[in-house]
Amino acid sequence: MRGLRRWWDDTAGGLPGTFWYLWAGLLINRAGAFALLFLSLYLTAARGASPSLAGLVVGAYGIGGAAGTLLGGVLADRWGRRSTLLAAHLAAAGLMATLAFSQHLAAIAVLAALVGVAHSMPGPAFVAAIVDVVPEARRSRAFNLQFWAFNLGMAVASLLAGVLAEASFLALFLVDAGATLAAALVIALKVPETLGRRQVTPRAVLGRRPGLHTALTDRTFLAFVGLTFLLAVLTMQTSTIMPLAMRADGLRPTAYGLVVALGGALIVAGQLFVPRLIEPYRRSTVLAVSTGLMALGFGTLTVADGLPLYLGASVVWTVGQMLAAPPNAQINADLAPPELRARYQSVFYLTFPAASFVAPALGGLSLEHLGERHWLVVGALGLCAAAGHLLAGGPRERRVAALRAADRQPVESRR
């Protein structure tokens, strides 16, 4: 019992109550996030779209997400974290309910783009709020638990979504909208505004006038963002291209739900042990190994033609995702100057909507013309990202050390 208590204290001890309400809101939201998992199947099976057209419509979600991410970062720094979260969740619920009753592909594409805006706005606010309330020494734990909650919710969503998709696509969208409203209620009742008085960031460290432009021209940070984009392209294969590949292999939606659920179950069972496992190693090394595992897992799909091989490959890339989550989030937080925290988060989160566009738009064409060789291309991208992390690790570490040294200076010396 004492050993279990000590493990829990090491894993989640000392985290403030506000973090746990943010965590709960994220968990509820993800547990009901059915629709986007099956959007490509919905478009091809229920609306008669080709794989290429379905990829473009799903890609519209990514285009909207890019705008929503930047908007969410600016609003979270100016308007507040809580207000941004509430506005985004309420808008997403309304748009998802509208999408449930839309029949024309053009209208679905427009709504998908708007849902992308609403779904991407909370990302920078969530992370900025966590950094606001969690002391630096405990942030790695907080980010690990955030990733755990995200995947616990996705595991629940995947299991239920496979059943709902075969019974009713309408229910798929409406349950998604209801879960988003429930998450908004938790935030409204339990999460206070965490944006306090802004800290002064030395111009010597920033190198230019503070603003969104700073994040968009920070070369060390952008190198990290670019590598994260490649990782996101790999991750997005599971929700965009893999369903189409499994359908081409004669597998049912429930089989796809089982593959995604297996990944979520592995994360739920093992993610809390990851921080202690990777603690002795440099973050760049951990990210290189994790991205290499993801490349291997997706590359294996080149020869997958049945459910067992899909399940085995899922285990490999899921282990990679598990190892990558804590250092990826921690590096992102460390590279952001305090007064630009949400803006840096918004630029970082651009990788995900961008990948949401690139992965299905180019992936649909690649799958259609290359067939199973598409997965060799995906594996090669992963290996390039692994090498990039090894090369970029040194400059990142020096940049973080400079920011921490500047933060320790008295405010008077910064003027």
Side-chain angles (χ1 to χ4, degrees):
M1 180 64 70
R2 288 182 180 178
L4 181 61
R5 182 177 299 174
R6 181 179 302 172
W7 169 79
W8 179 253
D9 288 341
D10 289 342
T11 302
L15 294 171
T18 298
F19 165 78
W20 289 109
Y21 288 121
L22 289 165
W23 183 89
L26 176 65
L27 176 61
I28 294 169
N29 193 321
R30 288 298 91 196
F34 306 116
L36 267 298
L37 285 173
F38 282 86
L39 184 56
S40 59
L41 284 178
Y42 166 70
L43 291 168
T44 54
R47 298 303 173 202
S50 67
S52 297
L53 181 57
L56 289 174
V57 174
V58 176
Y61 173 86
I63 294 176
T69 298
L70 290 176
L71 178 62
V74 172
L75 289 178
D77 271 343
R78 293 185 177 180
W79 190 15
R81 323 307 197 199
R82 181 177 183 272
S83 299
T84 302
L85 289 171
L86 286 175
H89 280 78
L90 293 174
L95 289 167
M96 191 62 70
T98 304
L99 187 59
F101 296 98
S102 299
Q103 298 184 5
H104 299 290
L105 286 174
I108 291 172
V110 172
L111 286 168
L114 293 175
V115 170
V117 173
H119 274 181
S120 297
M121 282 178 61
F126 261 124
V127 178
I130 290 172
V131 177
D132 288 342
V133 301
V134 176
E136 182 178 346
R138 296 185 176 92
R139 284 176 192 162
S140 181
R141 303 179 197 175
F143 289 132
N144 194 61
L145 287 164
Q146 178 198 14
F147 182 70
W148 185 57
F150 182 91
N151 285 278
L152 175 60
M154 288 295 289
V156 174
S158 300
L159 287 172
L160 296 178
V163 177
L164 284 173
E166 292 192 357
S168 169
F169 280 114
L170 177 63
L172 203 67
F173 289 100
L174 292 180
V175 172
D176 191 315
T180 305
L181 280 177
L185 184 62
V186 171
I187 294 167
L189 295 178
K190 294 296 185 179
V191 177
E193 180 53 63
T194 66
L195 178 62
R197 185 168 58 90
R198 297 184 181 181
Q199 303 178 42
V200 178
T201 304
R203 289 193 183 186
V205 175
L206 291 175
R208 53 188 66 86
R209 187 176 181 178
L212 186 59
H213 178 266
T214 301
L216 291 172
T217 54
D218 184 335
R219 287 181 293 181
T220 302
F221 175 67
L222 290 180
F224 174 65
V225 169
L227 293 170
T228 304
F229 169 73
L230 293 180
L231 185 147
V233 169
L234 267 66
T235 302
M236 289 294 174
Q237 300 299 312
T238 59
S239 60
T240 57
I241 304 305
M242 191 178 72
L244 302 178
M246 293 183 72
R247 184 185 181 195
D249 286 333
L251 298 173
R252 297 172 63 84
T254 48
Y256 169 66
L258 183 60
V259 171
V260 177
L262 173 62
L266 288 173
I267 292 171
V268 170
Q271 188 65 45
L272 296 182
F273 299 94
V274 168
R276 183 172 292 183
L277 177 66
I278 66 176
E279 187 177 0
Y281 304 100
R282 295 176 61 187
R283 291 171 184 168
S284 56
T285 302
V286 174
L287 286 174
V289 171
S290 63
T291 311
L293 286 172
M294 293 179 66
L296 176 62
F298 285 109
T300 302
L301 295 187
T302 305
V303 296
D305 57 1
L307 183 58
L309 278 176
Y310 277 99
L311 292 171
S314 174
V315 171
V316 177
W317 74 59
T318 299
V319 171
Q321 290 176 313
M322 291 167 65
L323 296 176
N328 208 49
Q330 187 66 53
I331 290 170
N332 179 35
D334 288 345
L335 288 174
E339 70 174 9
L340 302 178
R341 188 165 286 155
R343 287 177 173 86
Y344 265 65
Q345 295 295 334
S346 70
V347 175
F348 173 79
Y349 270 90
L350 276 176
T351 59
F352 302 103
S356 295
F357 173 74
V358 171
L362 297 184
L365 289 172
S366 176
L367 185 66
E368 193 169 326
H369 294 288
L370 297 179
E372 294 175 344
R373 289 174 294 172
H374 162 77
W375 300 111
L376 292 178
V377 176
V378 174
L381 284 176
L383 293 178
C384 289
H389 277 298
L390 293 176
L391 294 173
R396 281 201 303 254
E397 292 169 2
R398 290 191 290 272
R399 171 61 187 278
V400 171
L403 280 169
R404 287 177 176 171
D407 260 352
R408 288 194 292 267
Q409 296 175 8
V411 173
E412 290 77 7
S413 67
R414 300 179 181 180
R415 295 176 179 172

